[in-house]
């Protein structure tokens, strides 16, 4: 069966540390993968997109890696701040499900303590 | 400019009633998506409109759910004979045509079926 899995347990880290979130998928042929941030009571906000032929993307304190052999994406926030506390969702645009549509993971909640 | 707007923000209805949820996408965005997010769950794709093409309805959970998009802009999601399991946050997103797959989400409508 097709699955996109993110760690359902919250990730607690201290301010200034690097947060690393994981997204694993099975039985998808990815065209691209996106990461979104969602705050309580709000819709998701786009952060980064990485294509299937790219290994790494960076944007300010954010870094995404994509390993299509391991079928995994890692999302890193360096020098984390309490304001980074939110739920982070990965979303896959896959060739075998219609790449114009996104298939979302359930999200991982990040808590950054001062 | 204005983002994606949705109305109402909250809707409480009795089981068996019909409800209509509205989405106003960003002007010029030709693609429009509806998702459902239940408590602690990821976003579940419902339906996708792209320009004048026939919508992709593959995510609609039952024939009680329907959606239309008038004039390539505003969209309405209708749920007939609501059930308690329909209680969720319904999110709308829009996207510009072309190579960018970034989706812009509205704040959602929280539907509670009593």
């Amino acid at each position: 069966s097709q699955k996109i899995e993110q760690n359902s347990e919250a990730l607690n880290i201290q301010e200034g540390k690097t947060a690393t979130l994981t997204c694993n998928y099975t039985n998808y042929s990815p065209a691209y993968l996106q990461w979104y941030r969602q705050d309580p009571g709000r819709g998701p906000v786009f952060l980064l997109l990485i294509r299937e032929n790219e290994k790494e993307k960076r944007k300010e304190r954010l870094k995404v890696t994509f390993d299509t052999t391991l079928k995994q994406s890692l999302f890193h926030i360096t020098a984390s701040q309490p304001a980074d506390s939110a739920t982070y969702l990965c979303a896959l645009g896959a060739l075998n499900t219609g790449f114009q549509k996104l298939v979302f993971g359930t999200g991982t909640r990040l808590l950054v303590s001062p | 400019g204005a983002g994606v707007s949705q109305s109402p923000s909250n809707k409480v209805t009795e089981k068996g009633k019909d409800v209509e949820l509205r989405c106003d996408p960003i002007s010029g965005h030709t693609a429009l998506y509806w998702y459902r997010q239940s408590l602690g769950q990821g976003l579940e794709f419902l339906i996708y409109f792209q320009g004048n093409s026939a919508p992709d309805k593959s995510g609609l959970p039952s024939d009680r759910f329907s959606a239309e998009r008038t004039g390539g802009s505003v969209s309405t999601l209708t749920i007939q004979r609501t059930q308690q399991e329909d209680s969720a946050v319904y999110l709308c997103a829009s996207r510009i045509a072309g190579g960018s797959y970034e989706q812009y989400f509205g704040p959602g409508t929280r539907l509670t079926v009593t």
Side-chain angles (χ1 to χ4, degrees), chain A residues 32 34 36 38 41-46 49 51 89 99-102 104-107, chain B residues 33 35 37 40-43 45 48 50 56 58 91 95 99 101-103 105-107:
Chain A
Y32 59 90
Q34 299 182 358
Y36 287 79
Q38 187 173 25
R42 295 180 176 269
V45 174
F46 172 82
L49 177 150
R51 298 182 188 273
L89 304 167
F99 67 91
Q100 306 265 17
K101 302 184 299 192
L102 291 175
F104 280 84
T106 53
Chain B
Y33 302 79
Y35 296 90
Q37 188 172 35
Q41 301 297 311
L43 275 71
F45 166 79
Y48 158 55
Q50 173 60 63
D56 180 338
S58 60
L91 289 157
R95 176 175 65 80
Y101 298 107
E102 174 182 346
Q103 294 188 16
F105 283 82

Side-chain angles (χ1 to χ4, degrees), chain A residues 2-56:
Chain A
Q2 294 174 321
K3 287 190 293 186
I4 296 181
E5 294 180 308
Q6 295 183 255
N7 195 337
S8 58
E9 292 182 14
L11 178 63
N12 289 276
I13 65 167
Q14 250 187 325
E15 182 175 11
K17 302 290 187 184
T18 296
T20 298
L21 286 72
T22 304
C23 176
N24 295 294
Y25 62 91
T26 54
N27 293 321
Y28 286 105
S29 301
Y32 59 90
L33 187 144
Q34 299 182 358
W35 284 88
Y36 287 79
R37 168 184 173 141
Q38 187 173 25
D39 291 282
R42 295 180 176 269
V45 174
F46 172 82
L47 296 174
L48 280 168
L49 177 150
I50 187 165
R51 298 182 188 273
E52 56 85 23
N53 60 349
E54 297 175 318
K55 297 293 186 187
E56 182 179 298

Side-chain angles (χ1 to χ4, degrees), chain B residues 10-104:
Chain B
N10 280 283
K11 176 73 176 178
V12 180
T13 190
E14 290 180 352
K15 178 182 172 181
K17 301 281 190 183
D18 298 352
V19 295
E20 284 189 353
L21 311 179
R22 177 187 168 108
C23 172
D24 280 90
I26 294 172
S27 178
H29 282 198
T30 58
L32 186 147
Y33 302 79
W34 283 98
Y35 296 90
R36 177 168 72 175
Q37 188 172 35
S38 304
L39 191 63
Q41 301 297 311
L43 275 71
E44 175 189 5
F45 166 79
L46 297 177
I47 189 168
Y48 158 55
F49 296 89
Q50 173 60 63
N52 295 321
S53 302
D56 180 338
K57 306 179 183 179
S58 60
L60 295 178
S62 77
D63 58 8
R64 296 186 296 105
F65 289 72
S66 63
E68 62 177 21
R69 188 178 185 192
T70 53
S73 182
V74 172
S75 178
T76 302
L77 177 69
T78 301
I79 309 174
Q80 295 179 310
R81 305 181 302 281
T82 52
Q83 304 293 313
Q84 287 187 328
E85 60 262 29
D86 300 334
S87 296
V89 175
Y90 289 81
L91 289 157
C92 172
S94 69
R95 176 175 65 80
I96 199 163
S100 168
Y101 298 107
E102 174 182 346
Q103 294 188 16
Y104 294 81

Side-chain angles (χ1 to χ4, degrees), chain A residues 22 28 38 40 55 57 60 63 79 84 98 103 107 111:
Chain A
T22 304
Y28 286 105
Q38 187 173 25
K55 297 293 186 187
K57 268 283 186 67
E60 298 172 352
K63 184 178 86 170
D84 295 327
V103 183
L111 298 170

